[in-house]
Amino acid sequence: MRKYLLPTLAVIGLLIAVTMVLIGNRQSTVSQPAAQSPKAPFASYVAGAGIIEASTGNIVIGTSVPGILVELYASAGSNVTAGDKLFKIDDREPQAQLLVAVAKTKEIHARLAQAKSQLELADSVSDKRAVSVEELNNRRFAVKIAEAELASAKAQVAQIQMLIERHTVRALVSGRILQNKMRIGEYVQGGRPDASSMLLGNDERLFVRADIDENDAWRVQAGARAAAFMRGNPTLHVALKFERVDPYVLPKTSLSGDSTERVDTRALQVIYSFDRTALPIYIGQHVDVFIETKLSESSRGGMPGAASRASAVSAP
């Protein structure tokens, strides 16, 4: 037994080593991506990340008058036209002020009528010696003072009515309520609106705001053709219509919504549009945008490294 023990263990160890080598050399199965990357439809292009937004921009609705929200006339998904009511802030305090102002107006109106009556009575006296010139002038001035007080009271009533109207927020543009986080009974801060307010935008035609890296900004030409591909399904794509190029190159973000994000690069924003029926897409969704470029020989020779970078970007 001792004579064959060591050779047997050696053979077993050799078999285990060979087995482990074979297992280690076995090719692992390459998992396929959940969605294929989109293929650029142009021979030469620049690419960037785009975000879908309304043609009017995503308008955050706020109010200049703080208070308790008492009425909500529109909900998420509602279509509104310019002038439609959106929500109402508690206006009981200015309504009470209006009652006092209206009563004051009636009082001054009665005093004006009295002053006019006294002036007419003085003017109707046939004997001018019966009423002194000073008394007649005082009655005339009393009418003018009452008229001025009535005009001031009416202006105060109109001012309070305008303040009451400000408590009802209306849509300034036609569109759709994209988001609504406001609830009846909550306190609404006045001034600059925040993300907890109502979001409005016209989505009859959608816009795509594409971020192009500043290194490729010089290659973008106004009116260039472009296409947008949906993330998650590159078979869904649409040709874009050029709208404009924002002339300011701003700090580049990853569209994460984090206002404290620090970045080292900047991006040129190019805006395109398309019919909303062309894609099953929502405002705020990301897309991959490809913009066609055309390089002249002078631009290739005038900028060092431009040709090599263009060929690297335009390679499929």
Side-chain angles (χ1 to χ4, degrees):
M1 292 295 295
R2 295 180 179 178
K3 181 179 180 181
Y4 297 103
L5 180 59
L6 293 178
T8 302
L9 294 177
V11 172
I12 294 174
L14 180 60
L15 292 176
I16 293 175
V18 172
T19 303
M20 295 302 296
V21 170
L22 293 177
I23 294 175
N25 291 335
R26 183 184 301 172
Q27 293 184 352
S28 59
T29 304
V30 179
S31 59
Q32 296 296 327
Q36 297 295 329
S37 300
K39 185 178 180 181
F42 311 115
S44 178
Y45 63 90
V46 292
I51 189 170
I52 305 298
E53 63 180 30
S55 59
T56 56
N58 302 334
I59 305 171
V60 181
I61 305 297
T63 174
S64 58
V65 181
I68 304 297
L69 183 67
V70 294
E71 294 288 344
L72 194 59
Y73 304 107
S75 56
S78 301
N79 290 315
V80 297
T81 57
D84 287 352
K85 297 179 180 179
L86 299 179
F87 57 88
K88 181 181 178 180
I89 305 298
D90 184 12
D91 61 350
R92 287 176 293 180
E93 182 177 352
Q95 289 285 3
Q97 295 175 0
L98 180 62
L99 295 177
V100 177
V102 170
K104 185 69 173 179
T105 302
K106 292 180 179 180
E107 177 186 351
I108 297 176
H109 192 277
R111 192 158 59 244
L112 174 62
Q114 182 184 22
K116 287 182 176 180
S117 176
Q118 293 177 353
L119 178 61
E120 291 175 358
L121 181 61
D123 286 338
S124 64
V125 176
S126 57
D127 189 357
K128 301 300 181 182
R129 294 174 297 177
V131 180
S132 65
V133 176
E134 181 181 2
E135 177 65 19
L136 186 61
N137 289 335
N138 287 338
R139 294 188 180 188
R140 289 173 179 171
F141 287 134
V143 171
K144 292 184 178 296
I145 292 174
E147 288 177 345
E149 291 178 346
L150 181 61
S152 176
K154 289 182 177 180
Q156 186 176 5
V157 170
Q159 181 182 16
I160 297 175
Q161 289 175 340
M162 292 178 63
L163 178 60
I164 294 174
E165 178 62 24
R166 288 175 61 193
H167 282 68
T168 300
V169 178
R170 300 175 182 270
L172 298 181
V173 298
S174 299
R176 184 191 299 269
I177 303 300
L178 306 176
Q179 188 181 52
N180 178 34
K181 296 183 179 180
M182 309 182 77
R183 299 294 181 267
I184 293 178
E186 69 179 5
Y187 185 84
V188 180
Q189 295 285 351
R192 183 178 180 179
D194 54 22
S196 63
S197 301
M198 184 179 291
L199 196 64
L200 171 66
N202 192 326
D203 62 347
E204 292 182 358
R205 187 168 182 84
L206 297 179
F207 276 30
V208 180
R209 184 176 296 271
D211 283 346
I212 305 301
D213 191 274
E214 61 180 341
N215 294 325
D216 294 320
W218 64 275
R219 303 181 60 202
V220 177
Q221 298 179 356
R225 295 188 303 165
F229 291 77
M230 285 192 63
R231 293 187 176 180
N233 189 354
T235 60
L236 297 177
H237 57 88
V238 63
L240 302 177
K241 177 185 176 183
F242 177 80
E243 294 292 338
R244 69 181 186 275
V245 176
D246 284 355
Y248 176 68
V249 178
L250 74 168
K252 184 179 180 181
T253 63
S254 62
L255 304 177
S256 62
D258 185 2
S259 59
T260 62
E261 184 175 8
R262 299 177 62 90
V263 293
D264 298 328
T265 60
R266 303 178 73 87
L268 175 73
Q269 291 194 330
V270 187
I271 293 83
Y272 285 85
S273 68
F274 65 95
D275 193 328
R276 72 172 183 179
T277 60
L279 286 178
I281 202 167
Y282 298 92
I283 294 177
Q285 196 168 343
H286 290 172
V287 292
D288 294 316
V289 179
F290 297 93
I291 302 176
E292 185 180 26
T293 60
K294 296 180 180 179
L295 297 178
S296 62
E297 294 299 328
S298 59
S299 63
R300 289 178 183 269
M303 299 189 63
S308 59
R309 183 166 62 250
S311 60
V313 173
S314 62

